[in-house]
Amino acid sequence: MDVGELLNYQPDRGAKRPREQEGRAAGGDDDSRGGKQQKGLGSRDPARHREAGAGSEGRAEPGDGEEQTGDKKRILEKLMDQDEEEPEAEPVDESTVKKMILTFEKRSYKNQELRIKFPDNPEKFMESELDLNDIIQEMHVIATMPDLYHLLVELNAVHSLLGLLSHENTDVAIAVVDLLQELTDIDTLHESEEGAEVLIDSLLEGQVVALLVQNMERLDEQVKEESDGIYNTLAIIENMAEFRPGLCAEAAQQGLMQWLLKRIKAKMPFDANKLYCSEILAILLQNNDNTRELLGEMDGIDVLLQQLSVFKRHNPNTAEEQEMMENLFDALCSCLMLASNRERFLKGEGLQLMNLMLREKKMSRTSALKVLDHAMIGPEGLDNCHKFVDILGLRTIFPLFMKTPKKMKKAGVPEKEHEEHVCSIIASMLRNLKSQQRTRLLNKFTENDCEKVDRLMELHFKYLEAVQQADKRIEGEKHEMVQRGEILDDSIEDEFYLRRLDAGLFVLQLICYIMVEISNSGISQVHTHTHTHTHAGFVTSFKEQSIIIKAFDQGSHGSRQEADVSIGAADLTGSAAVPHTSQSVYFVF
């Protein structure tokens, strides 16, 4: 074989498969490889055949063959060493980042200058635009060094990047979005809190959310690259909101809330962007009355109800669509924590929609129950409670009270969660209903020989046992902590109390409140039935459990104060009837 051919042979540096597999891969289907790999493999095959021919000639002439074999081995070893050597990447340090930012600023200025000078001649500025895009791609390496984020701010690169979000070429704007998304990745931000704070402050100072929203408004989601750009934009907002939750109100005010509502109600096929919009909306509304009020003023309650009405008679088609449905329900629940939004929910016939969802027995039923709970709880839910009775909601809620549907169990909904929402709705109605509606509610407990009172007692003993077991575990842990010499401060006591609530104490409080209300309703049939149960053991439990005699008031500063319940155990047995108006029962909601 001619040694010159071997020297001219160039190995394929683009192929990264193990060397022992190259022979097998060369004989595979050419269509499954990239163009560079096909070229490399194409030049490699003839050399292999020639090498085989040279080997056969070597057997004919042993002397020449030995000399050529030795040369070939040395040359092939060198070629293999060169093929295995990987070019070392230039280390990223402060000097490298400064040079990169300076290059970015120069190319950005040059592109801007050429666009102004030749606005109608793209050929003049196209090259500069490609150079600008290349340096933006190179700047992704800065995301690996969050400690150097301060250079982006000090050298004014953040301001320049934000300016490019409104660039005439959407490809450049999308490239900037991709870069910002990587720079604000939540894991990267937590690697350097100081660098992250500097970057986020600079972005917010430059009205980043408003600029991102303006950019999204001009993007066409029918184009894949632009659709991906919207997805990455939402990722930027999510990253910043997770790192600094306080910016949600500011972001909503800068046009984000309006854009999200517009995108959610757009008549477009369900996709990843719509799912992400529902998630961002739920995040904005979490623990923020300002964003809740803003959504209500933008008729957002109607938008949410319209989108959820689709799932009244139809289940979501995919797991992703189900997730979007849950996000919209969560957003609606958050909105209903504001009194003014409950009025909008009532006027928008939200109660009727939730009631229909409960009757249709689709996947939306569980979340509809949660929405009703939020709409009717507390004094602000008075109007919704009365309206719920007027639309024959009692016919819907009490079958759910009597038995947890099997479909909910199969769907993975905890039985405790279902029973908690149902009991909370009944307790809210007992607290808020007056006159005729209250009488209709109380009469439900007299039907079928007071079967609902029996169910109430069944739930009482179920959750009483669960709380007692939790108390035993907690007392055991307290005893061990005391033996170790640990101090039981308020924070530990609060943690134990939350565990008791989670174990079933909250549901038990609701059940006991319902028992107190119906026992003192003045309806003889319910009173007699309750009297029988209380003598069978309920009074003993009532006296023994602090959850009945006393309820905890979760103070605004996290301290727990005990509030006496003015209705004693004797009141339940009938020896001292207490009028409804004189009752002063306070439970944690």
Side-chain angles (χ1 to χ4, degrees), residues 219-254:
L219 296 180
D220 182 7
E221 291 193 59
Q222 302 300 321
V223 180
K224 184 183 183 303
E225 289 76 12
E226 298 189 13
S227 178
D228 292 342
I230 289 179
Y231 188 90
N232 288 332
T233 301
L234 296 173
I236 295 171
I237 296 169
E238 182 187 22
N239 291 336
M240 293 195 301
E242 185 174 350
F243 184 78
R244 187 177 294 179
L247 65 82
C248 289
E250 183 180 351
Q253 293 284 352
Q254 292 182 16

Side-chain angles (χ1 to χ4, degrees), residues 140-141 143-144 149 177-185 188 236:
H140 281 256
V141 74
T144 63
Y149 279 3
V177 167
D178 294 343
L179 175 59
L180 291 176
Q181 190 273 330
E182 194 164 344
L183 291 173
T184 58
D185 181 80
T188 304
I236 295 171

Side-chain angles (χ1 to χ4, degrees), residues 3 61-74:
V3 176
E61 301 177 8
D64 294 340
E66 290 178 1
E67 182 179 353
Q68 289 186 6
T69 301
D71 292 339
K72 283 190 294 181
K73 284 183 178 180
R74 287 192 297 271

Side-chain angles (χ1 to χ4, degrees), residues 117-167:
K117 192 173 181 180
F118 306 103
D120 301 324
N121 193 353
E123 294 180 359
K124 296 289 186 179
F125 56 76
M126 187 57 64
E127 187 68 28
S128 67
E129 218 142 277
L130 293 173
D131 292 339
L132 176 60
N133 185 74
D134 290 341
I135 190 61
I136 293 174
Q137 299 302 326
E138 291 177 23
M139 290 175 69
H140 281 256
V141 74
I142 302 176
T144 63
M145 299 291 292
D147 292 334
L148 301 179
Y149 279 3
H150 65 94
L151 295 176
L152 291 169
V153 178
E154 293 169 2
L155 299 177
N156 210 33
V158 172
H159 177 75
S160 299
L161 287 170
L162 293 178
L164 290 177
L165 287 174
S166 55
H167 195 280

Side-chain angles (χ1 to χ4, degrees), residues 313-463:
R313 293 189 174 91
H314 303 283
N315 285 329
N317 296 321
T318 62
E320 289 76 16
E321 193 171 1
Q322 182 182 354
E323 184 181 352
M324 184 202 70
M325 180 188 75
E326 296 296 338
N327 288 336
L328 295 179
F329 271 118
D330 289 342
L332 185 57
C333 288
S334 295
C335 291
L336 291 176
M337 298 181 74
L338 197 66
S340 57
N341 283 335
R342 297 197 193 186
E343 297 177 8
R344 298 181 177 107
F345 177 78
L346 179 62
K347 292 178 181 178
E349 298 186 350
L351 286 172
Q352 288 88 331
L353 177 61
M354 298 303 122
N355 193 34
L356 286 172
M357 286 182 172
L358 293 181
R359 292 181 179 180
E360 290 294 334
K361 304 178 181 179
K362 299 297 181 181
M363 292 177 66
S364 59
R365 178 162 60 171
T366 304
S367 297
L369 197 63
K370 182 170 64 173
V371 170
L372 285 176
D373 188 4
H374 281 76
M376 299 165 70
I377 201 169
E380 298 86 357
L382 187 144
D383 292 337
N384 282 318
C385 286
H386 283 84
K387 185 65 176 180
F388 187 70
V389 176
D390 292 340
I391 63 173
L392 307 179
L394 297 179
R395 296 181 183 180
T396 308
I397 198 67
F398 272 102
L400 297 174
F401 171 72
M402 293 300 296
K403 186 177 181 181
T404 303
K406 293 181 179 179
K407 285 187 178 181
M408 287 191 174
K409 296 178 181 178
K410 292 180 180 179
V413 179
E415 191 174 46
K416 173 178 168 294
E417 179 182 340
H418 169 81
E419 292 167 351
E420 177 182 322
H421 288 310
V422 173
C423 289
S424 179
I425 290 171
I426 294 174
S428 296
M429 288 192 291
L430 284 168
R431 172 174 292 183
N432 289 322
L433 292 179
K434 307 294 180 184
S435 63
Q436 183 182 358
Q437 282 91 346
R438 180 177 176 81
T439 302
R440 290 170 63 180
L441 173 62
L442 291 172
N443 286 337
K444 281 289 180 180
F445 288 93
T446 66
E447 296 175 350
N448 299 326
D449 195 22
C450 298
E451 63 176 2
K452 296 175 181 61
V453 178
D454 295 335
R455 171 62 172 167
L456 198 61
M457 296 306 305
E458 177 188 336
L459 292 174
H460 169 264
F461 289 114
K462 171 185 174 180
Y463 285 100

Side-chain angles (χ1 to χ4, degrees), residues 568-586:
D571 300 331
L572 288 179
T573 63
S575 57
V578 180
H580 172 70
T581 55
S582 67
Q583 297 174 8
S584 177
V585 184
Y586 193 100

